[in-house]
Amino acid sequence: MSPYLSVVWRELRRAWSTGGLALPVVFFLLVAILFPFAVGPDAELLARIAPGVIWAAALLAALLPVERLVAPDLESGVLDQLAVRGLPDAGVAAAKVAGHWLGFAPALLAATVIASGLLQLPGDALVPLLLALLIGTPGLAALGVATAALVAGLRGAGALAGLVMLPFAVPLLIFGATADQPGALKLLGAVSLLLVAGCPFVAGAAVRMGRS
């Protein structure tokens, strides 16, 4: 098996064995369940704000497993062993992005169908929302791995991760929540592609700094 595929598989096993798959999805659905209680039973209002609520919940759900993405491998020496084998840090980070995305995004997309019903989202608005999540969640995964590498080994890493990740995720949130508007999906795809292309190099640089 390719060493990069081994990294992807390692991330998937870690997500499934530590509840990393269930926790984001449960959190995501809890937001969808509780939000109607906060704003009332107005179906028209819920349908109007549903895309923004779902995207905000998806963003926070992607943030939950950040502390387990890089720090455990850095502390146990796994990343050092991969570097000794000649694997570039950016390549390992890219494999972690793929594993992180596979660990939460498909289940999140399935949960979106349930959340859309709870938030009274019309059926014709569900497809653009699912497409937006499919396009945008790779960017969230890449941003999560880069954030995890930047805060690895720091005290209060969980709180710092939110401060680092959330501002950079705002463009994804804006374009994703307005996916039914002309050009929004293209802009969302551009932002997501930029994050997927650039974040592995940021994560790799942060890992090298942590190693030195």
Side-chain angles (χ1 to χ4, degrees), residues 34-81:
L34 294 175
F35 205 85
F37 289 101
V39 300
D42 188 337
E44 184 178 345
L45 174 61
L46 286 173
R48 189 166 62 249
I49 64 177
V53 173
I54 288 174
W55 259 95
L59 171 58
L60 295 175
L63 180 63
L64 289 179
V66 160
E67 289 186 81
R68 66 162 175 79
L69 293 177
V70 174
D73 288 342
L74 192 62
E75 294 170 359
S76 64
V78 170
L79 296 181
D80 293 336
Q81 295 175 20

Side-chain angles (χ1 to χ4, degrees), residues 190-204:
V191 174
S192 185
L193 182 60
L194 179 64
L195 290 173
V196 170
C199 283
F201 293 98
V202 174

